[in-house]
Amino acid sequence: MNQKNNSTADLDLILAVENSVTGRSWAARPAEHRIVQAIAQNHNLPEIVARVIAGRGIGIEDADTFLKPTLKEMLPDPSHFKDMDKACVRIADAIIAGEKVAVFGDYDVDGATSSAIFKRFFKALGQDITAYIPDRMLEGYGPNIKALLDLKAAGHNLVITVDCGIVSFDPLKAATDAGLDMIVVDHHQAEARLPDAVAVVNPNRLDEEPGFGQLAAIGVSFITIIGINRELRNRGWYKQQEMAEPKIIEWLDLVAVGTICDVVPLVGINRALVSQGLKIMAERRNEGLKALGDVAGINETPGTYHAGFLLGPRVNAGGRVGRSEAGTILLSTDDPQEAQSISTELNTYNAERQAIEAMVLEDAMGQVQRKIGVGGVVPPIIIAANVGWHPGVIGIVAGRLKEHFSRPTIVIAIDDNGDAKGSGRSIMGVDLGSAITAARQSGIISAGGGHAMAAGLSVRTENIDALDDFLNTRLSTTVDEALTSLSLKLDGVLSLGAVQPDLVERLDQVGPYGQGNAGPRFAFTDVYISYVDVVGKDHVKCSLKGPDGSTVKAMAFRCADKPLGRFLLESRSKTIKIAGTIRNNLWNGRTSAEIFIDDAAE
C-alpha cells in the first residue's frame, strides 16, 4: 500500500490519488498494524480481511463478537424501552379478549415488514389483525384522522401504528378522543412532546436511554412482539389455549429485509438481526419473499445486496405507483399462488416506477443544473420542485441527485391545489431529519420529520423558497464540514489476480454490509481496459487486465453520462487506476468474482 502523499498533510492516500474522476481523494481506512496482525492470527484470517475489520474500529477484544453477532448476546430485554410494558399489557389484553385490532403501517419496506410481522404473529395465535396501509397519493404518510375514525367505526378498539405516528399529534388525539386506544411503535426522531397514546415505544424518544436508536421500525416491532409473547406466556394463556408458542425467530427474514431497506446503520443489534435474518431468508420459508426472489431472478444465497436492490424496490413499488397494501399482503401470506400473483404484480409496478422515475429524474436534473448554471456554485442544500411529478418516485430521485451533486437533496411534487409533498436524502454527517423537524416547528412546513439520512415533508407551494432559505442557512456550515471530510475510504490495494471467489467469501465474514458498516473497497493499479461499453440504460461494463495477465469483469452502475462513465468509456486500451468493491457472481452454475467500480483515476 502506498503511504502518505507528502502534499496532503492529513490524509493517508491510496496510490497518491488526491483528486479522482469523481473529485475525491482516496483515503486509507486507519488500521493499526498490531491490531490487524492480532485479529488475523486469533481468527485464522487473511491479513486483508483482518485489515477490513480493524478499519471499522473493531479492536482485538471485540473481533469475535463482530465476526459472530448473536441475538443471545445483543438482543435487549423488551422492558428496556419506555412504555414497552404498557404496550405489551394492552395488546395482550386485546388478544385474550378477542378484541378487533388494527396495525397502521407505512407504505415503504420498513412499514410493510412491520405490518406483516404483526399479521403473522396474530395469525399464529389463531387471530386476525387488520392491516391498514394508507394510499400515498390520496392520504399521504402516516395516520390520518379519517382512516383512524373509520377503523373505530368498523369496530376496532386498538390500533398499533408501525413506522409512523411519533409526530402525528392531531390524528392520534382525534382517535383517542373518539375512544380508540392507540399504541405507537416507531423509530423516527421524536420531539419532547409525545402523541396521545396508551404507549409510545420508540428508541429515539428524547427521554429514552441511548444504545438502540439505530433500530428500524421492523426491529422495534420484532422486540415488541417478543414482549407481547412473554406477557401471554406469563399469564398462562398458551397453556389455557393448549397452544404452542409461535416460533418468532422464523420471522427474522422480514426483520432483515426491513432493516436493510430502511438504510439504518448495520451495527450493534441491527448487525445481529440482519445476520440471522439472512440465514432464515436463505431457507425460503416466507412464501412472499420466495416468490419475489424468483421474479427478481435471485438464484444464489441472498445477502444485503439482494434485499436492498432487488427485493426492496419491488416491495416499495406497490406503495409508490400501485397498491399500497400489496407489500404487506405479500409478506404475510402463506398461499403460494397468492404470493406468485402479487409478486408478478409488484414486478410490473416496479417497471412502471422505473419509467416514471427516469422522466422525473431527467426533469429534476435539468432544473437543478439550470439553477446552478455553467461553472456555478452548488448550494449546500439542493431543492427541486415541480407540478406533476409523481410523489411515489421523488425519494428515489432525491437519492440520485444526492449522489450526483454530493449534497443533501429534497425533491418536491406539487399538486394542482398548491399542496406539495417532499422527500429528502442526506449525506453522511448532515442530519436532515432534525432540520426538517425544525422547519415544521418554525411553521414553514405543515408536516415533516424523519431521521438523519432521509426525511419527508408537506409544504405549501408559496413556502418552498422559505424552506430553501431556512435549510441552506441552517445546514450550510454542517454541509461544508461534511464535504471537507468527503473522501473515498479504501481498505487497501489489491491486484486483479487476488479477485477470486474465495476472497469474497472470506470478506463476507465481515458482513452484513450496509449503512454504518460499509462494504470493503479496494484500489487497483495498472489496470488495462481491454473492453468497455454501455449496457442497459446507463451502466458501463468493462473487461480488465492486470500486469500479470489476470482478467476480471467489472461494472460501473448508472454512470454512462457522468464523469466516471465517460472516463471509463474513453479509456479503452489504456492503463488506469480504479477503486471499487468485489462480489461473486453465479452464472450457469459457475461462480466468478467481479468488481463494481466506484471511482477511477489516471
Side-chain angles (χ1 to χ4, degrees):
M1 182 188 300
N2 286 14
Q3 295 301 313
K4 183 179 293 184
N5 183 299
N6 293 330
S7 66
T8 309
D10 298 326
L11 290 176
D12 186 5
L13 293 180
I14 295 284
L15 300 178
V17 176
E18 296 186 54
N19 188 25
S20 70
V21 171
T22 63
R24 292 178 288 183
S25 59
W26 291 2
R29 289 185 182 275
E32 187 178 335
H33 183 68
R34 176 185 62 84
I35 296 177
V36 172
Q37 292 283 47
I39 292 175
Q41 292 171 7
N42 293 347
H43 300 279
N44 192 28
L45 295 171
E47 184 173 329
I48 189 64
V49 178
R51 178 175 292 278
V52 170
I53 296 171
R56 277 140 189 78
I58 305 302
I60 299 170
E61 299 81 7
D62 301 322
D64 190 59
T65 300
F66 184 80
L67 286 166
K68 302 172 183 175
T70 64
L71 291 174
K72 183 177 180 180
E73 291 184 9
M74 307 189 78
L75 192 67
D77 185 316
S79 297
H80 169 87
F81 299 98
K82 294 185 182 299
D83 276 8
M84 178 65 84
D85 290 341
K86 291 181 183 177
C88 293
V89 166
R90 179 64 186 91
I91 297 171
D93 286 345
I95 291 169
I96 293 170
E99 295 180 55
K100 200 169 183 180
V101 182
V103 58
F104 193 112
D106 188 17
Y107 33 62
D108 70 357
V109 183
D110 197 15
T113 52
S114 297
S115 301
I117 202 170
F118 269 98
K119 288 280 289 183
R120 288 194 170 275
F121 178 63
F122 272 68
K123 186 189 300 184
L125 304 184
Q127 299 194 16
D128 187 30
I129 183 172
T130 302
Y132 189 99
I133 312 297
D135 185 285
R136 184 190 292 262
M137 298 290 289
L138 300 178
E139 299 174 84
Y141 168 80
N144 62 82
I145 294 175
K146 181 181 184 304
L148 293 178
L149 294 184
D150 284 348
L151 287 171
K152 173 63 177 175
H156 295 86
N157 299 315
L158 173 65
V159 173
I160 307 163
T161 70
V162 290
D163 197 29
C164 58
I166 192 62
V167 293
S168 300
F169 301 113
D170 292 341
L172 266 64
K173 184 179 188 307
T176 300
D177 289 346
L180 188 62
D181 282 352
M182 300 296 303
I183 291 176
V184 175
V185 178
D186 202 354
H187 74 125
H188 292 101
Q189 291 177 346
E191 299 182 19
R193 173 191 174 192
L194 294 175
D196 289 351
V198 173
V200 177
V201 181
N202 186 335
N204 287 303
R205 282 175 51 157
L206 298 185
D207 59 348
E208 187 63 86
E209 294 181 17
F212 296 98
Q214 73 270 32
L215 281 165
I218 180 60
V220 184
S221 297
F222 179 72
I223 295 170
T224 302
I225 285 173
I226 291 174
I228 302 166
N229 186 67
R230 182 176 64 184
E231 179 69 19
L232 292 171
R233 182 196 312 127
N234 290 342
R235 295 195 198 184
W237 187 74
Y238 289 115
K239 289 184 178 180
Q240 295 168 13
Q241 301 297 313
E242 297 182 349
M243 176 189 299
E245 292 186 25
K247 296 179 180 179
I248 299 173
I249 200 79
E250 293 183 353
W251 304 325
L252 276 172
D253 49 4
L254 294 177
V255 180
V257 172
T259 300
I260 292 166
C261 292
D262 214 51
V263 201
V264 291
L266 294 189
V267 298
I269 179 59
N270 284 347
R271 184 173 169 77
L273 290 169
V274 170
S275 178
Q276 300 304 316
L278 288 175
K279 293 176 184 177
I280 292 175
M281 194 189 309
E283 297 174 6
R284 292 166 60 88
R285 299 181 186 180
N286 185 295
E287 289 292 343
L289 288 176
K290 182 168 74 173
L292 198 62
D294 290 343
V295 167
I298 299 175
N299 59 358
E300 57 191 328
T301 301
T304 54
Y305 168 80
H306 305 92
F309 293 96
L310 298 179
L311 299 178
R314 287 170 168 81
V315 174
N316 261 335
R320 294 189 185 281
V321 299
R323 291 192 296 134
S324 59
E325 71 276 12
T328 296
I329 297 172
L330 173 71
L331 299 175
S332 59
T333 186
D334 292 316
D335 183 343
Q337 290 185 332
E338 182 179 40
Q340 183 179 17
S341 174
I342 297 176
S343 293
T344 301
E345 178 186 4
L346 287 173
N347 198 50
T348 302
Y349 289 148
N350 192 51
E352 181 182 348
R353 184 271 305 171
Q354 289 172 325
I356 296 171
E357 174 197 330
M359 291 187 291
V360 175
L361 176 59
E362 182 179 5
D363 196 5
M365 183 70 75
Q367 182 184 122
V368 174
Q369 289 176 330
R370 287 191 298 273
K371 187 183 299 185
I372 295 172
V374 178
V377 177
V378 180
I381 307 296
I382 290 175
I383 294 183
N386 210 347
V387 177
W389 286 350
H390 196 298
V393 302
I394 55 177
I396 304 174
V397 172
R400 300 280 188 257
L401 294 178
K402 179 208 74 172
E403 293 172 5
H404 184 86
F405 293 102
S406 297
R407 298 292 192 281
T409 301
I410 296 172
V411 177
I412 299 174
I414 305 170
D415 65 19
D416 294 336
N417 298 319
D419 291 319
K421 302 290 185 183
S423 187
R425 299 293 183 268
S426 194
I427 62 175
M428 290 299 295
V430 181
D431 188 342
L432 185 59
S434 293
I436 294 298
T437 297
R440 179 174 56 78
Q441 293 171 336
S442 299
I444 297 173
I445 60 177
S446 56
H451 48 79
M453 300 301 290
L457 60 92
S458 296
V459 62
R460 288 289 301 174
T461 306
E462 57 267 24
N463 288 336
I464 292 177
D465 287 342
L467 175 64
D468 196 333
D469 292 340
F470 177 86
L471 292 177
N472 273 290
T473 299
R474 181 183 178 91
L475 295 176
S476 60
T477 300
T478 305
V479 171
D480 286 344
E481 292 172 351
L483 293 175
T484 299
S485 62
L486 187 63
S487 62
L488 188 64
K489 303 295 191 302
L490 300 175
D491 293 285
V493 179
L494 292 179
S495 67
L496 289 185
V499 182
Q500 298 293 335
D502 60 340
L503 176 60
V504 176
E505 290 172 3
R506 299 304 294 269
L507 288 169
D508 284 346
Q509 292 180 260
V510 189
Y513 297 112
Q515 182 75 20
N517 183 37
R521 283 179 170 79
F522 303 101
F524 303 84
T525 189
D526 297 327
V527 173
Y528 180 79
I529 307 287
S530 59
Y531 166 85
V532 61
D533 203 356
V534 177
V535 295
K537 286 187 177 181
D538 55 357
H539 309 314
V540 177
K541 184 177 182 179
C542 306
S543 290
L544 312 177
K545 188 174 183 179
D548 61 354
S550 301
T551 59
V552 178
K553 292 181 179 179
M555 184 79 76
F557 293 99
R558 297 194 305 270
C559 69
D561 61 343
K562 298 176 183 176
L564 174 59
R566 291 193 293 269
F567 176 81
L568 292 172
L569 290 167
E570 294 167 1
S571 295
R572 184 195 299 268
S573 301
K574 294 181 180 179
T575 299
I576 62 172
K577 303 169 185 174
I578 64 169
T581 61
I582 61 175
R583 68 181 297 267
N584 282 337
N585 179 46
L586 178 65
W587 179 253
N588 285 338
R590 180 176 177 270
T591 299
S592 60
E594 58 187 16
I595 299 173
F596 286 2
I597 302 174
D598 295 318
D599 206 351
E602 295 182 352

